[in-house]
Amino acid sequence: MLIRTQRLGKVFGEAEHRLGVLEDVSLSIESGEMLAVMGPSGSGKSTLLNILGCLDSPSSGGYWLAGESVAGLGAERLAALRNRYIGFVFQSFNLLPRLTALQNVELPLLYAGVPAAKRRERAVGLLGDMDLTDRAGHFPRQLSGGQQQRVAIARALANRPALILADEPTGSLESRSGEAILALFRRLNRAGVTLLVVTHDSVVAEHAGRIVRLRDGRVVSDQGGSSAQNGAGIGLADEGPR
Ligand code: ADP
Ligand code: MG
């Protein structure tokens, strides 16, 4: 079991500004799964992803990452877990504009203390895997959206994470580039990377073996996974047949 949450809750703000965003989210993710998290805007998808990615802490409930209890850990320990286990991919790519593609991919390796020659070798290899060898010296602004996202995926993979968390990774791409990103994710998943993809695109979700649906901060259905609990029974009717 790579991830387990138990009755996870998240509340933002205090007193009259108090906003409950996640409630009773109990989720288990096995190593090697590819799952999509879907739900309307504001349903808590990004909040959940940030907590799973150790970028934010839950307000209540439990979270175990690779067996270690995460809820209540301090910022430093969270950062260490993040660097060791997790790679992030965002809708807006989040590449550093003043660094080349190669330098962007090298950056997490630098933070991890990998020596320069090794950093270079690994980053060149990853860009090659992403079919970007001839773009290594380009800056983000010189790349298409799809190319930028492939650089971001190479960067996410740099420290060989067990888990990739992607928040609407195809949301800013035209459909052709989006499909290429999805094909890439499937290939990574076959190679053993666990993938959690937040999306509101049902085409994207169909590529995942498992679909978890959120509504108002709660899991309303969890279908298709090896450990899925099928048939929470709500939240499906208005999505139509697939
Ligand atoms: P989704 O990704 O499903 O669109 P989010 O997780 O981004 O939803 O947001 C869920 C709710 O939490 C929204 O109402 C949003 O305004 C609120 N929210 C998210 N982050 C914060 C924050 N840092 N402070 C206060 N409210 C937040
Ligand atoms: Mg979001």
Side-chain angles (χ1 to χ4, degrees):
M1 190 77 66
L2 183 59
I3 275 182
R4 187 162 77 87
T5 73
Q6 185 157 33
R7 305 197 63 179
L8 204 70
K10 182 69 180 178
V11 174
F12 287 113
E14 282 170 19
E16 71 268 31
H17 301 295
R18 191 183 155 88
L19 178 67
V21 171
L22 293 176
E23 207 174 324
D24 279 348
V25 174
S26 297
L27 200 60
S28 293
I29 302 174
E30 304 280 354
S31 201
E33 279 196 90
M34 176 168 175
L35 75 151
V37 173
M38 300 190 76
S41 179
S43 58
K45 304 181 298 295
S46 293
T47 302
L48 177 62
L49 182 130
N50 289 343
I51 292 173
L52 296 181
C54 302
L55 289 168
D56 199 357
S57 299
S59 309
S60 58
Y63 174 26
W64 293 263
L65 173 59
E68 179 168 358
S69 176
V70 175
L73 289 182
E76 212 163 298
R77 185 71 197 127
L78 286 178
L81 282 175
R82 206 158 58 225
N83 291 342
R84 167 142 178 230
Y85 289 111
I86 297 165
F88 292 95
V89 178
F90 299 98
Q91 176 172 357
S92 50
F93 323 132
N94 291 16
L95 299 176
L96 294 180
R98 292 168 189 277
L99 298 184
T100 63
L102 187 67
Q103 290 167 332
N104 267 284
V105 178
E106 283 184 316
L107 199 59
L109 296 162
L110 178 70
Y111 291 144
V114 176
K118 281 264 173 229
R119 290 202 298 269
R120 180 60 45 103
E121 183 189 331
R122 174 129 181 93
V124 165
L126 283 163
L127 285 176
D129 290 346
M130 299 298 131
D131 207 16
L132 287 170
T133 298
D134 56 349
R135 295 291 187 275
H138 286 55
F139 291 94
R141 67 172 182 282
Q142 300 171 315
L143 299 170
S144 71
Q147 289 169 336
Q148 289 185 62
Q149 196 60 303
R150 270 146 56 210
V151 174
I153 292 168
R155 179 181 60 181
L157 290 167
N159 286 319
R160 297 190 169 84
L163 174 67
I164 295 274
L165 297 173
D167 199 348
E168 309 265 7
T170 63
S172 300
L173 303 176
E174 18 92 36
S175 59
R176 178 82 61 83
S177 311
E179 280 162 25
I181 296 298
L182 282 178
L184 194 52
F185 278 166
R186 279 213 313 283
R187 179 154 68 82
L188 291 173
N189 182 239
R190 281 197 299 272
V193 178
T194 310
L195 273 158
L196 186 157
V197 183
V198 168
T199 184
H200 52 237
D201 182 344
S202 58
V203 177
V204 175
E206 275 169 29
H207 288 277
R210 175 179 172 194
I211 302 179
V212 171
R213 289 174 207 272
L214 287 186
R215 177 164 304 171
D216 297 331
R218 290 174 173 271
V219 174
V220 292
S221 80
D222 183 346
Q223 295 194 307
S226 50
S227 58
Q229 297 143 14
N230 287 316
I234 41 176
L236 293 171
D238 56 336
E239 308 256 359
R242 295 181 32 222

